[in-house]
Amino acid sequence: MDSKNSNDWLFEITPTNKFFSLNFKEIWQYRDLLMLFVKRDIITVYKQTVLGPLWYLIQPLFTSITFTIIFNNVAGIKTGSIPPFLFNLAGIMVWNYFTACLNGTSDTFKSNAGIFGKVYFPRIITPLSIVISNLVKFGIQFCIFVVFYIFFFCQGADLSLNISVLFFPVLIIFMGILGLGLGMIISSMVTKYRDLNNLVGFGVQLLMYISAVMYPMELIKEKLPKFGWIVQYNPLAYVIETSRYMLLNIGNISILGLVYTMVVTLIVFFVGLLVFNRTEKSFIDTV
Amino acid sequence: MKDIILKAENISKQYRLGEVGTGTLSHDLNRWWHKIRGKENPYLKIGEVNDRSKKGTSDYVWALQDISFEVQRGEVLGIIGKNGAGKSTLLKILSKVTAPTTGSIKSRGRIASLLEVGTGFNGEMTGRENIFLNGAILGMTKKEITSKLDEIIEFSGCERYIDTPVKRYSSGMTVRLAFAVAAFLEPEILVVDEVLAVGDAEFQKKAIGKMQDISKGEGRTVLFVSHNMAAVRSLCTRGVVLEYGKVIFEGNIEEAVNRYFDDEKQFAYKEWDKESSPKTNFLRLLNAKVLNEKEELELNHSITNSVAIQFTYEILEEGNTFTHGFNLFNNENVHIFSSHDKDSLTLVKPLSKGVYSKKIIIPGNLLAEGTYTCSFAIMRYNPFVVEFHEMDIVGFNVIDKFGGDTARGNYNGNFPGIVRPILNWK
């Protein structure tokens, strides 16, 4: 054996990954794949449909209309000077981004078992592509929000922007990271225990009710002082409340709450990375 | 000096049998409990050899056990073995799809795997879009693909359909396109599994040609798994034979291919009982033997020696005229020759009840080195009727040697051809 270069192996395949090893160089090498996955996710949705990308708008609009009728007109939730439709649209938009990230990534291993079983590329590319393609989708939805914002403004609604709206993109990225982190944890566990799949399905639905999507956070503290803390300690509720604060200038947020949200997000994300990293090497045997 | 590009050291892979269900959690907890106390994984010990036909006692099996081999740069290594021998598992580990349970693989080059063509093809997207997607999945950058796009399209021969969604393609076209993408990959090590099993003859030829270019012209290393022994032999320079998860042979590809066929067809003697014997209403085959020049049962014959095959049968009913037929096949199922016992006395004078033998002799210096199997037939003339034709009756190996009395002489390289007669050169 050639002794002079016996140690210059390019890489080594071993039974398990190191405790924490995220190969950024490798992810960078596969950046084109990431972009192609994003492109695939976006264009395949509206191939062979008549309405095409309009489908991205129809769902939040109809949900907002339904919420406005049920929660504001029937149940009588007050949204102050803000038109209830706009209030709901803002919440649903952000919430949808989170659930799309979570649902998409939590299925990573199972739904991609076919590809993963045949060829190697950094597995993290797949959940990343889901988060990014949903971000594009969110962008489209955000445009429709702006259209309605201007519409209501012209109608004479009392709307004002908060200067913190400049940080809205940061907030959305944190929402994406939270969805990604949670999704990665779930996707890793789903490979062995399919039970979680069922949990995610209705869990997300229930989660919406404690995430202040269709009501201001104030309201829950007022009406249910005993259980208000559930909503208060829910980072998702915080993100949604904050985004409404930024976009519509209602509600109030505390810096402490935001810091708490970010810390939780980062913890979830790193735990997610860790679990994902441990799973990706041999999940194909159990999935 | 050897230039080793890939080195596998004691790779083992354990799988759990049965359903992954309620038992999993308890095993996981137990494993974890051992781990935090610093003990060994309790389930690693109890695996047993992976013989699918035998019932085992443990829920864990070793799909691969202590596999070690080295691959040199520019070599085309064939990995062969029967179903369940562990080939696919090995390739999965090599292509990083799954991790080995123990052991490690070290590599000096990028590995790209082609475990199945068309991985990640999306039916909704056009051929062109899929070339990019599939190329990227296999590890190419957009720039690389763009620069080779025309070549890829041309090689696939799907030019006309390139802007049509792939779901409208025929399966052959999908494979062509997929193989075309893969063929233009430029990793140092290419792992290929059974891709050649699809596509028409013309495309297969093209694919094999491309593989040869890749390995010979461009000096890339290829690990090739296939059941197509002709393809393996024409492509590979060296072979690894797997059986029940273990390497049973590593070396020259010809020998490796023979080892692959060995235990299936390696029988110099066969006999039948009343129920199973090949028969017709007046005759029943009793046994068949492969004999050497000393009339002894022998499986392995030197290339210079003649090989005799003797069939023994019983006449059940008198008054029938018939004759015997014999066919010889090599281990790639190529029909080497056919022989009729056209001057047999049995064509003229029916045999009385009793046991008879018939022997044919294949002369030395006729067959090439390899493993052969024979078939035997009983026929009638006028009108021509085949009473029975029994395949794979007995088999034998012809082993080459050097020397003046062989066709090879003292040449020690690869000696091709399905027969190896000594001819007169004048």
Side-chain angles (χ1 to χ4, degrees), chain A residues 8 16 32 86 114 120 180 199 231:
Chain A
D8 62 344
T16 43
D32 287 331
L86 213 52
Y120 173 81
L180 176 65
L199 183 71
V231 178

Side-chain angles (χ1 to χ4, degrees), chain A residues 163-219:
Chain A
I163 185 70
S164 62
V165 77
L166 294 174
F167 293 101
F168 186 60
V170 179
L171 190 73
I172 291 305
I173 287 167
F174 262 87
M175 195 65 158
I177 292 175
L178 187 59
L180 176 65
L182 219 54
M184 285 196 299
I185 296 175
I186 294 167
S187 70
S188 308
M189 299 175 83
V190 159
T191 61
K192 250 191 179 172
Y193 307 104
R194 293 281 169 90
D195 314 54
L196 275 167
N197 244 359
N198 303 325
L199 183 71
V200 173
F202 78 91
V204 167
Q205 239 173 348
L206 291 184
L207 197 59
M208 182 173 75
Y209 293 97
I210 57 161
S211 299
V213 176
M214 63 292 268
Y215 54 84
M217 227 156 128
E218 285 291 292
L219 195 72

Side-chain angles (χ1 to χ4, degrees), chain B residues 142-154:
Chain B
K142 212 170 169 177
K143 224 175 101 194
E144 282 176 323
I145 304 166
T146 314
S147 68
K148 288 179 189 156
L149 188 63
D150 294 335
E151 280 178 273
I152 293 174
I153 295 174
E154 205 208 303

